[in-house]
Amino acid sequence: MTTIIDGKALGQKIRSNIAGEVTLLKEKLGRKPGLSVVLVGDDAASQVYVNMKEKACIEAGFNSSIYRLGSNTTTDELLNLIDDLNKNDNIDGILVQLPLPEQIDEKKVLYKIDPSKDVDGFHPVNVGLLNIGEDTLFPCTPYGVMKIFEEYNIELSGKNAVVIGRSNIVGKPMAALLLKANATVTICHSRTKDIPALCRNADIIVAAVGIPKFVTADFVKDGAVVIDVGINRLEGKLVGDVDYDGIFDKCSYITPVPGGVGPMTIAMLMYNTLKSFKVRNNLL
Ligand code: NAP
């Protein structure tokens, strides 16, 4: 039998727990967690994501400040804003919405964020800590996948996991988190030979490729857990990176798109902001 993973319900549960904790912490400390989100330019998808993040902050009881900057913003202007946010004690998390316009030096901007406020987990200090197996702020999407494994009691230790995709925001941190949880991890990318054969040996497949229906039935061994991170638009519909209907019967667990990994990303952003707040208030 195949279990459909309900990321919407789990994401909502995490967000409700956070809201409850924030109410108590506010009474105790007289301050609530603060998240600043910086959006540069007028990318339509980014605007939707930022609005969703703002709504999630309000629901969680956080202070949120959204900086909407014009598309002609310079790298220096953005660095100055981040400097101010780094110094502001009421801000626990800083997120710069990607992609940034071309004229902006993305690396310089991301590396400027104080690692203790880097709720996206993209700063090299946090990437390094994750890769040496330490606890730190982990990137939200792969961390959300780890919460799914935890919630559904999916055993990782000693299991063969294949991650398809090696981006800095999904594939690589996903592989590092699985390795930290004692899985045996294979990372596939555009130069990998015979991905279906590698996947057929996998107990767990995580697809983060950005190609609709990339993972088909011949990739999946009976009983495998398949996590679909992909979000693609196909004929006006949202679809993932796996052929959901084609592989459904072979899987023990599967995430739908939408309603699987997607809702976990925002939940984990709230989780990371609360974590940063607690660390900065010596509560962790
Ligand atoms: P990305 O930066 O474009 O990376 C895609 C990865 O897939 C790359 O490592 C690339 O390999 C690999 N790849 C591309 N074509 C391939 C092929 N034919 N065979 C094997 N590997 C191939 O994308 P991303 O940011 O990681 O995102 C991946 C997907 O997840 C997208 O659909 C995105 O929209 C979605 N996403 C969802 C969430 C969420 O909240 N659910 C969050 C982030 C991203 P190379 O490195 O060799 O080029």
Side-chain angles (χ1 to χ4, degrees):
M1 215 191 75
T2 307
T3 301
I4 301 171
I5 290 169
D6 190 345
K8 198 171 168 196
L10 176 55
Q12 202 47 58
K13 180 169 118 180
I14 291 170
R15 286 166 61 171
S16 302
N17 289 344
I18 290 171
E21 214 180 318
V22 167
T23 307
L24 297 177
L25 285 169
K26 202 184 140 200
E27 272 170 29
K28 194 170 157 193
L29 302 172
R31 184 172 94 70
K32 38 191 184 175
L35 174 66
S36 287
V37 179
V38 183
L39 170 65
V40 186
D42 44 22
D43 180 77
S46 294
Q47 289 186 17
V48 172
Y49 290 137
V50 167
N51 290 343
M52 284 163 65
K53 287 168 187 173
E54 186 175 23
K55 190 169 160 254
C57 279
I58 293 166
E59 262 180 48
F62 292 179
N63 271 325
S64 70
S65 44
I66 313 290
Y67 294 83
R68 292 184 169 83
L69 309 182
S71 45
N72 295 328
T73 302
T74 64
T75 301
D76 281 344
E77 285 168 338
L78 200 44
L79 292 176
N80 286 336
L81 171 60
I82 291 170
D83 202 30
D84 288 345
L85 298 173
N86 282 343
K87 287 179 190 149
N88 186 336
D89 278 339
N90 290 319
I91 303 297
D92 305 287
I94 302 169
L95 181 151
V96 177
Q97 185 66 44
L98 301 179
L100 288 166
E102 259 181 20
Q103 80 277 9
I104 291 180
D105 186 335
E106 184 176 300
K107 254 195 212 171
K108 256 192 181 173
V109 169
L110 294 182
Y111 294 7
K112 181 78 178 175
I113 297 172
D114 177 339
S116 75
K117 298 187 178 188
D118 169 38
V119 284
D120 256 340
F122 296 161
H123 191 286
V125 166
N126 288 321
V127 175
L129 287 168
L130 165 59
N131 278 281
I132 58 171
E134 296 282 341
D135 187 22
T136 189
L137 293 167
F138 302 133
C140 300
T141 302
Y143 197 17
V145 174
M146 296 305 284
K147 288 286 172 193
I148 286 175
F149 292 139
E150 193 183 308
E151 175 76 8
Y152 283 83
N153 293 315
I154 294 169
E155 178 68 43
L156 300 174
S157 182
K159 301 291 180 188
N160 289 334
V162 171
V163 179
I164 318 174
R166 58 170 166 180
S167 70
N168 291 331
I169 63 169
V170 187
K172 280 184 200 144
M174 184 76 254
L177 285 165
L178 285 163
L179 185 62
K180 192 171 184 301
N182 298 317
T184 302
V185 185
T186 304
I187 306 174
C188 301
H189 48 78
S190 64
R191 314 289 171 87
T192 304
K193 303 264 188 285
D194 204 352
I195 296 177
L198 292 167
C199 285
R200 279 194 294 275
N201 193 34
D203 305 300
I204 296 152
I205 299 173
V206 181
V209 197
I211 301 177
K213 300 189 180 183
F214 183 84
V215 174
T216 51
D218 62 322
F219 285 56
V220 181
K221 79 169 177 186
D222 282 336
V225 175
V226 179
I227 305 289
D228 189 353
V229 179
I231 301 178
N232 311 290
R233 220 162 249 292
L234 191 68
E235 293 157 8
K237 267 180 67 184
L238 278 190
V239 296
D241 288 345
V242 313
D243 175 10
Y244 185 86
D245 294 332
I247 69 169
F248 188 87
D249 288 337
K250 293 182 105 178
C251 306
S252 54
Y253 293 87
I254 188 166
T255 57
V257 177
V261 176
M264 296 302 295
T265 299
I266 289 217
M268 298 318 289
L269 174 64
M270 300 299 110
Y271 185 97
N272 276 350
T273 304
L274 178 58
K275 182 174 180 181
S276 165
F277 174 84
K278 287 194 214 163
V279 169
R280 298 177 71 260
N281 284 283
N282 300 315
L283 296 172
L284 274 183

